[in-house]
Amino acid sequence: MDSINRMAIELVDEALDFAGELGIEAYELDSGATVIDFGVDADGGVEAGMLLAEIQTAGLATVQTQMGEVAGTPRPSVELSTDRPALALLCSQKAGWELVFDDYDGLGSGPARALVGEEEEFHHLGYYDEFDLTALTVESIELPTDEVAEHVAEMCGVEPSAVFLPTYATGSLAGSVTGAARAGELAMFNLFEAGYDPTNVISVSGSAPLAPVSYDESVAMSRTNDAVAYGGKVHMTVTEDFDEFDRAISTAGAEYGVPFQQLFEDAEWDFGDVDPDVFGPAQATIDVIDGPTYTLGETDDSVLADSFGL
């Protein structure tokens, strides 16, 4: 398997070449690392968000938008499909790297995680990347500092000048796009946590509506989770049956039926107190080759209408 960091860096180069057209901005830090603003101070946009989702999945997924409806109103949805779901979704797209410093807080996803290889997914799959350049996308309301870049470089075993940090706020168009593009990844992660072997999944397609942008990060975080948990749809093709395929989908609709803002407020915004089973797509169809087809869950436009202000 080729390096997922090498493939992602090719997309980073594309972002840098077309920064003006995409409405994004690049900065070189004193350490030599490059920060690319996809939606912190820069406006970004839907096209920028789709390219960002491609970077997060290391070029192993196709990302597109299409017009749909939520509660009878026109609304785009974001669709992501991949035939390399274990690598694209678990080893790259998953937001598994917490960046917590005295003066900075962010969440990292992307192929840089595969250079570190400390998460259980890498041990299970036996995939550890090697490359001299790396990309870690960062979800934060602030652009990364040299301290962040140097930490990433040290963990990845590369020079700071080899680190590229595409960054976006949840409350941005890029944030809404990449949030909607996570429906498949969340379903994959849920099944992995339930004990299903991710190498049995040979294809995943997921979609979710584009959440309205709010510069209030609390509102944005709630809406992007609502978009997936109440409007997300996933299709999987797998090779082996499983007794717990229902773990792929969110329990939010069945157990709560309220926007995530209320769930987060009930937990006093301590995410450790939020039931992890609520994170996932609303609905999934799972085709087992030479076996049964499972249709699980349902979407709920009424909650989305409340959340989206429709």
Side-chain angles (χ1 to χ4, degrees):
M1 175 66 196
D2 202 354
S3 163
I4 60 175
N5 277 275
R6 183 196 65 77
M7 292 187 289
I9 290 298
E10 292 180 359
L11 294 167
V12 169
D13 287 340
E14 182 179 336
L16 294 172
D17 288 343
F18 294 96
E21 292 85 348
L22 291 167
I24 63 180
E25 297 182 44
Y27 306 90
E28 184 174 318
L29 300 177
D30 290 341
S31 61
T34 301
V35 172
I36 311 172
D37 183 355
F38 273 78
V40 177
D41 297 323
D43 290 333
V46 172
E47 292 292 332
M50 290 195 294
L51 181 55
L52 184 61
E54 289 187 61
I55 293 170
Q56 289 174 329
T57 51
L60 292 171
T62 299
V63 185
Q64 59 188 358
T65 60
Q66 59 181 357
M67 286 302 299
E69 288 188 356
V70 171
T73 64
R75 179 153 301 274
S77 62
V78 179
E79 181 178 301
L80 185 147
S81 299
T82 178
D83 290 334
R84 302 301 301 270
L87 284 176
L89 306 182
L90 296 183
C91 293
S92 197
Q93 189 186 22
K94 177 192 166 189
W97 191 336
E98 293 186 9
L99 300 165
V100 180
F101 302 88
D102 289 341
D103 59 351
Y104 192 83
D105 188 11
L107 186 60
S109 62
R113 296 172 42 248
L115 294 178
V116 181
E118 292 182 350
E119 298 164 61
E120 184 59 33
E121 291 87 344
F122 299 101
H123 302 321
H124 182 89
L125 294 167
Y127 179 79
Y128 305 95
D129 197 12
E130 293 183 5
F131 198 60
D132 55 359
L133 302 171
T134 191
L136 184 74
T137 71
V138 180
E139 185 175 359
S140 178
I141 59 173
E142 297 179 321
L143 296 174
T145 61
D146 278 301
E147 183 181 23
V148 176
E150 289 167 358
H151 168 72
V152 172
E154 180 180 2
M155 293 294 293
C156 292
V158 300
E159 294 297 320
S161 59
V163 173
F164 293 83
L165 301 170
T167 305
Y168 62 101
T170 310
S172 67
L173 266 174
S176 287
V177 170
T178 59
R182 289 189 178 277
E185 177 249 311
L186 289 169
M188 277 285 291
F189 177 72
N190 289 345
L191 288 183
F192 178 65
E193 288 285 283
Y196 192 67
D197 187 345
T199 63
N200 292 336
V201 185
I202 61 175
S203 185
V204 173
S205 295
S207 70
L210 187 70
V213 174
S214 171
Y215 292 139
D216 181 325
E217 283 291 285
S218 298
V219 173
M221 189 177 301
S222 301
R223 285 177 174 174
T224 53
N225 278 287
D226 289 331
V228 176
Y230 291 106
K233 302 176 183 179
V234 169
H235 177 271
M236 291 181 167
T237 300
V238 305
T239 59
E240 299 293 334
D241 206 346
F242 189 51
D243 291 337
E244 297 184 68
F245 277 137
D246 59 339
R247 295 278 297 277
I249 61 172
S250 168
T251 62
E255 295 189 15
Y256 300 100
V258 297
F260 267 70
Q261 185 154 2
Q262 182 171 330
L263 298 181
F264 291 151
E265 288 174 352
D266 289 345
E268 297 182 346
W269 295 91
D270 183 345
F271 298 121
D273 288 341
V274 178
D275 181 357
D277 292 340
V278 301
F279 299 101
Q283 189 174 36
T285 297
I286 302 176
D287 292 339
V288 182
I289 294 177
D290 289 329
T293 292
Y294 297 87
T295 301
L296 310 163
E298 59 184 358
T299 59
D300 189 338
D301 272 11
S302 64
V303 175
L304 290 181
D306 185 10
S307 173
F308 291 2
L310 303 177

